[in-house]
Amino acid sequence: MRKIENQRSMIGRSVKYVIAALLCMFCLGLAGCSGSAKLADCYDKDTLEKDAKATIELGESGDYEGLIAKFDESISGSLTKEGYEQYLELVKSKGSFRKFGNVAFVGQHVDETDSDYAAVVVVAEYENGKLQYVVGYDEDMELVQYTVK
């Protein structure tokens, strides 16, 4: 039994490290681009916040196919069922959802493609701790990022 608990603990830590690494890469990518943190005019903060929270709820619901359908086609094919199940285990380890906490917005313009992106950082509070989500969108409001730490 102890061996199984140790394996679960190792898997949980591995998932956290992978998610943290992805978040760091996204942040470094934002820093390396030439745009600013201001949202482009094509985004509305209320719409972004509502959609990000709904996406988090969808993600936590176990509806893998529904979540994948929200992603840009170029990204959806790289998201695995195994990775999703590891994410669900992380969420489950935090216990029952309590409420959404702080929300922040980051905008980015990529000069090379003349594209704008928005990221919504949402803190979700649970009975056993908090998770920080980053939900990223392209100009068509398709998901381009969904990370948690």
Side-chain angles (χ1 to χ4, degrees):
M1 184 70 152
R2 177 170 274 184
K3 188 175 185 178
I4 292 172
E5 289 175 13
N6 286 340
Q7 287 175 339
R8 285 184 182 165
S9 176
M10 287 176 23
I11 290 171
R13 280 182 275 173
S14 297
V15 170
K16 288 178 186 178
Y17 289 128
V18 169
I19 292 169
L22 290 172
L23 181 59
C24 288
M25 288 187 324
F26 175 74
C27 291
L28 289 173
L30 289 179
C33 296
S34 59
S36 68
K38 184 177 182 248
L39 288 175
D41 292 337
C42 62
Y43 296 107
D44 173 70
K45 284 185 178 181
D46 289 335
T47 302
L48 285 169
E49 182 175 348
K50 285 177 188 173
D51 195 87
K53 288 177 178 179
T55 300
I56 292 166
E57 290 170 347
L58 174 64
E60 292 182 356
S61 74
D63 184 1
Y64 172 74
E65 296 299 326
L67 182 63
I68 294 300
K70 291 186 62 102
F71 276 89
D72 174 85
E73 282 182 15
S74 65
I75 297 172
S76 63
S78 64
L79 304 170
T80 66
K81 182 79 169 174
E82 180 181 274
Y84 181 69
E85 288 171 1
Q86 290 174 345
Y87 155 71
L88 289 177
E89 286 296 319
L90 173 64
V91 171
K92 188 177 182 181
S93 75
K94 295 296 181 182
S96 298
F97 176 81
R98 297 281 188 220
K99 66 178 181 172
F100 288 112
N102 294 334
V103 177
F105 304 91
V106 178
Q108 189 62 48
H109 181 78
V110 178
D111 288 337
E112 293 83 17
T113 59
D114 195 32
S115 300
D116 289 298
Y117 297 91
V120 184
V121 181
V122 180
V123 175
E125 298 177 17
Y126 302 84
E127 66 182 339
N128 298 323
K130 299 178 182 179
L131 291 174
Q132 179 179 312
Y133 286 86
V134 178
V135 184
Y137 297 92
D138 65 12
E139 294 168 337
D140 297 322
M141 288 297 289
E142 289 184 308
L143 284 182
V144 294
Q145 179 184 14
Y146 185 80
T147 56
V148 61
K149 71 172 191 169

